[in-house]
Amino acid sequence: MIEQIKRLERIARQLEPDTERRHEHRKSIIQYTEDFLDRVYELPAYILTDDKGTALYDSPITEGPSDIEPLINIIKTNVDRPGINPASGGHLGYIPGGGIYDAALGDYLAAITNRYSGVFFASPGAVRMENMLIRWMAEIVGYPRNTLGNLTSGGSIANLIGITTARDAFSLRAKDFPKAVIYLTRQVHHSIDKAIRIAGLRETVQRYIPGDDRFRMQPEVLQKTISQDRKAGLIPWLIIASAGTTDTGAVDPLDDIASIAASERLWLHTDGAYGAFFMLCEEGKKILKGIEKSDAIVMDPHKGLFLPYGSGAILVKDTQKLLESYHYQANYMQDALSSQDELSPADLSPELTKHFRGLRLWLPLKLLGVRPFRAALEEKLLLARYFHQRLQEIDGFEVGPCPELSVVTFRYIPKHVDANEFNKLLVQRIQRDGRIFLSSTTLEGIFILRLAILSFRTHLQTIDKTIEILKEKVENLETNSC
Ligand SMILES: *Cc1c(COP(=O)(O)O)cnc(C)c1O
């Protein structure tokens, strides 16, 4: 048996590369990432390929090892080439992501030391750091400083946690569901609908409150609907407000909605996955006024703080309610219960073992300070207004309302052909060109292009280039269509 153990140990020890191999691998990775970063402002924002990375199948997982260089090549051609390049400042579709460098270093540290950030007992420092970050976010949105929540993998999971917490805070039972009413708009992010389903709340009543001409929830209609529902014997329960919709960047009238929620004693969940971090700048504070009066709020550092994907957050003002939904006890965890000067993420979320997400946020915030984040967010707000203005000066373009945050909607009105068809072609041509990436939406049956500015690499130059590309593609299409 000893012989067998020793034989296995020799093989198992390959899991621990020596200094030389670590150096060699790190060198290759750094070479590739440095090259990527050196070229990132020239790289296309979108690459349409026929193969879509299928060559990955030619390199299956095997028993034996591989060298690093060919592997980097596989990643380069099959992963980092086809599709949208979210690291590009030219990514102006959907809600662009981030990927600031220092966050990658935070991830590297977190992965090497592998701190167990789920439970205070196991890693008091890591848990303190994450809770500190959540309190910092609480301060940004004007929540009390002792608010806690959870650093999630993204906004979708944060919305799910928020909605289950709202369900439990109201002690809703299955028999109440057909009478419990959720108030929201058609513009809420689809992760809200998904969360309602996952939380087993499909049978609740969902009232879609009509929006105004800018797709913002109309508070008077909300108030009237709640009153009618009460009279009808239903249980008004939850209001879901958007602090920046994904589609048009619309901000619901948060202050008015909060007053209604308070007087009607309803739970107010605010989805600020896209917009909440604009609270870091003065203009954003004006637009998001009243956000602090909600019961829970979702924020996405992988959007508004330019982190790499995998960082969302939920903050629950009455943190006790979150704890009641998510705490747990297990015999094998009994050692963990004794010391508790910080609540553990494992008691505030569905996760137990999790990535130490705090470090990828803490390190850049500490290394850079908050100022460049604040400036970048204000820059994005202004770039959106700039684009909105510039586009109006160009013949044939029709713009949506002046952007509240950093999403601009627009379309081109062609001289001879159907506008919807023309704009569909226009977005296709832009995507095929690939220098920038735009996406489209449909608003009241009209095909609309949208420009979403949130990449930390999007600057004035990018927007000027976008306008040139739009002009060029429109000219081409107009010439071909008459
Ligand atoms: C992006 C987004 C979400 C979903 O967040 P993920 O991080 O993609 O899971 C939810 N709500 C809004 C408003 C969003 O923009």
Side-chain angles (χ1 to χ4, degrees), residues 95 153-159 187-192 242-246 271-275 298 300 302-303 311-312:
I95 302 289
S153 58
S156 301
I157 298 298
N159 272 324
Q187 292 288 314
V188 296
H189 190 267
H190 72 263
S191 62
I192 295 281
S242 301
T245 61
T246 313
D271 182 358
Y274 155 56
V298 166
D300 251 0
H302 65 203
K303 288 178 181 164
S311 279

Side-chain angles (χ1 to χ4, degrees), residues 164-222:
T164 51
T165 305
R167 176 196 65 198
D168 299 346
F170 262 61
S171 307
L172 284 186
R173 307 280 201 85
K175 66 176 169 45
D176 304 321
F177 292 173
K179 284 187 164 186
V181 191
I182 305 175
Y183 303 89
L184 65 178
T185 70
R186 291 269 173 215
Q187 292 288 314
V188 296
H189 190 267
H190 72 263
S191 62
I192 295 281
D193 300 312
K194 228 167 147 180
I196 291 169
R197 269 190 285 139
I198 301 171
L201 295 162
R202 216 190 279 250
E203 294 155 48
T204 56
V205 183
Q206 284 125 53
R207 295 263 188 254
Y208 291 95
I209 305 299
D212 62 13
D213 56 350
R214 302 179 67 167
F215 306 101
R216 298 174 297 199
M217 187 187 282
Q218 296 187 58
E220 320 78 54
V221 184
L222 171 68

Side-chain angles (χ1 to χ4, degrees), residues 39 134 403 469 473:
R39 293 183 307 127
I134 293 166
I469 293 171
K473 300 295 166 200

Side-chain angles (χ1 to χ4, degrees), residues 371-385:
R371 195 183 306 132
F373 292 89
R374 215 188 282 288
L377 286 163
E378 199 172 337
E379 179 199 22
K380 306 310 157 210
L381 290 179
L382 290 178
L383 285 176
R385 282 158 182 65

Side-chain angles (χ1 to χ4, degrees), residues 23-40 43 47 68-82 85-87 101:
H23 178 73
E24 185 201 327
H25 288 183
R26 213 168 42 234
K27 212 177 84 191
S28 298
I29 296 277
I30 298 294
Q31 215 163 39
Y32 176 60
T33 53
E34 282 301 301
D35 179 53
F36 182 87
L37 288 175
D38 285 345
R39 293 183 307 127
V40 72
L43 288 174
I47 301 184
I68 185 129
E69 282 300 332
L71 300 184
I72 287 182
N73 265 324
I74 291 176
I75 297 170
K76 185 175 178 175
T77 13
N78 295 288
V79 182
D80 292 341
R81 192 178 51 101
N85 175 6
Y101 185 72

